[in-house]
Amino acid sequence: MRIALISVAVVSALLSAGVLGVGWYYSGQLLEPDQARPGHPDTIVGSGDNTVTLAESRITVQPGTWGLVWPGGEARVGRVTDRAAGAVTRELTGTAPPAGTKVRLETSVWTSDPKAALGLDYEDVAVPTELGDMPAWLVPGVARTWVVAVHGRGGTRAESLRITPTLHRAGLPVLAVTYRNDLGAPASPDGLFHLGDTEWRDVEAAVRYALDRGARDVLLYGWSMGGAAVGQFLGRSELAGKAVGAVLDAPVTSWTKTLELQSRNRGVPTQLVPVAELVSDWRADLEFDRFDLVDHPPAHRPPTLLVHGAADGTVPVQGSRDLAEASTRLDWPLTYVEAPAAEHTAAWNVDPTGYERSVTDFLASRTGGS
């Protein structure tokens, strides 16, 4: 009997250690900046006149305009022109690398700066924060409403370049920011992402910078985890009232639901999500309930344009649908646009004209061009 009890105790300890090990692994995927930065998972098969052929994957078959990025180079790809035998041929702007090169399709489309990518003049600026200066791009404009653009987890400020021309045409200065743990920006004290729970303070610093430079108020623009940081800013910052509007593109409206989706994608039981949250809380002092915008809406709820792709495999579109459905009850003026067939933060890529029209209409209703 004693041996049996010892055996049960050993097995239980091993199982607990295994579960905690899985939780630690997935918390690392979530919190560690190096794990979030994208690699080059796809492969060039060949190229022709204004076309490139890639090995078929979930991303290489996505519709629309995407950046094609490889170590030391970039180009752009357009619509799919052929798909057969495990390969996908797409329209190409630029020059493709040789067959066999590992590449990545990038929703940001461009990886360079506003001048190189779009021909727009800009200023390299430094936003003072509690951790030190955070680099940012400032594309000037005549309006006194500034846009503070906040990229997603593992991304860069180049994420804002797709919509910058539209914002520029509206006369709005665009401050495309970095935040803690970005390449070129100061690290957080523990070296971990906090999923918006501390990054909102860098957004606050950017808003303060805009106000100090002459902005009357701001419009916040957040992608993915950038949307979570915007939500926390609206709920916790003393400057939240300076936000006259927000645009949220595929935002994380609930980290729990996001982790559940990503668990299903990986074939991991969703019952392990609470373990990953528990370990993440140990490592980064996170309250996951705080991020649920339906159950815990921010104190300041300005008019908001919410955009999400129906085919998002990273952040669940249902979270945005739920927020849109609850918006009246939450007294949150919200316009919801869902993009059919669009992957994560790819609504612009699938339909640039429609996306820009939605943003332009929203801007006209909020800023009046002043």
Side-chain angles (χ1 to χ4, degrees):
M1 177 67 72
R2 182 168 177 269
I3 293 174
L5 290 174
I6 291 173
S7 298
V8 169
V10 170
V11 170
S12 297
L14 290 173
L15 287 173
S16 297
V19 169
L20 288 175
V22 171
W24 188 275
Y25 171 79
Y26 282 108
S27 78
Q29 296 288 304
L30 187 64
L31 303 179
E32 295 171 12
D34 286 346
Q35 299 296 329
R37 294 183 181 118
H40 299 88
D42 294 304
T43 307
I44 296 287
V45 174
S47 59
D49 293 336
N50 301 316
T51 65
V52 63
T53 302
L54 305 105
E56 183 173 322
S57 72
R58 182 178 67 87
I59 296 299
T60 60
V61 300
Q62 293 297 315
T65 300
W66 294 65
L68 183 70
V69 179
W70 60 95
E74 64 176 284
R76 276 179 289 160
V77 296
R79 68 183 182 90
V80 173
T81 60
D82 190 40
R83 181 177 175 184
V88 181
T89 300
R90 307 185 69 126
E91 295 175 340
L92 175 72
T93 301
T95 303
T101 301
K102 301 297 290 183
V103 298
R104 167 176 87 248
L105 263 67
E106 179 65 68
T107 55
S108 295
V109 182
W110 298 278
T111 61
S112 52
D113 58 58
K115 184 69 172 180
L118 306 167
L120 291 175
D121 291 332
Y122 76 101
E123 181 183 353
D124 280 311
V125 300
V127 174
T129 77
E130 63 189 6
L131 299 180
D133 288 348
M134 304 281 181
W137 293 327
L138 175 56
V139 178
V142 297
R144 294 191 61 202
T145 296
W146 285 34
V147 176
V148 175
V150 189
H151 67 77
R153 173 178 164 274
T156 73
R157 53 191 151 160
E159 191 152 30
S160 66
L161 293 177
R162 288 169 292 174
I163 198 60
T164 296
T166 300
L167 302 172
H168 184 68
R169 285 192 295 271
L172 302 174
V174 180
L175 184 65
V177 304
T178 58
Y179 48 77
R180 58 194 69 195
N181 297 309
D182 277 351
L183 293 173
S188 60
D190 58 9
L192 300 175
F193 285 134
H194 287 233
L195 311 182
D197 194 48
T198 57
E199 291 82 1
W200 73 265
R201 296 204 288 265
D202 302 332
V203 177
E204 181 182 66
V207 171
R208 183 173 287 109
Y209 177 89
L211 296 173
D212 289 345
R213 290 280 297 259
R216 179 187 59 211
D217 45 43
V218 298
L219 185 140
L220 302 169
Y221 208 126
W223 290 261
S224 192
M225 190 181 95
V230 167
Q232 294 305 300
F233 168 86
L234 292 173
R236 300 162 71 177
S237 173
E238 63 181 14
L239 299 179
K242 291 294 185 179
V244 296
V247 180
L248 303 178
D249 188 324
V252 176
T253 61
S254 165
W255 274 112
T256 297
K257 293 174 182 176
T258 298
L259 292 175
E260 289 172 349
L261 173 64
Q262 295 184 4
S263 294
R264 289 192 293 270
N265 290 344
R266 292 178 169 91
V268 176
T270 57
Q271 291 86 344
L272 291 174
V273 167
V275 180
E277 291 184 340
L278 176 64
V279 175
S280 298
D281 188 17
W282 288 344
R283 298 180 70 183
D285 191 24
L286 295 173
E287 297 179 29
F288 279 84
D289 288 346
R290 185 196 292 276
F291 297 103
D292 192 315
L293 295 185
V294 173
D295 291 341
H296 301 279
H300 180 57
R301 298 182 289 278
T304 298
L305 173 63
L306 175 61
V307 183
H308 213 125
D312 195 328
T314 301
V315 173
V317 64
Q318 190 60 47
S320 288
R321 292 170 179 166
D322 292 344
L323 183 58
E325 183 177 354
S327 61
T328 300
R329 171 174 60 83
L330 299 175
D331 192 25
W332 193 339
L334 191 148
T335 301
Y336 180 53
V337 177
E338 188 167 304
E343 247 290 351
H344 186 52
T345 68
W348 180 94
N349 305 73
V350 170
D351 182 12
T353 301
Y355 186 101
E356 291 168 9
R357 184 186 308 115
S358 295
V359 171
T360 298
D361 290 347
F362 178 74
L363 294 177
S365 71
R366 295 315 314 149
T367 66
S370 62

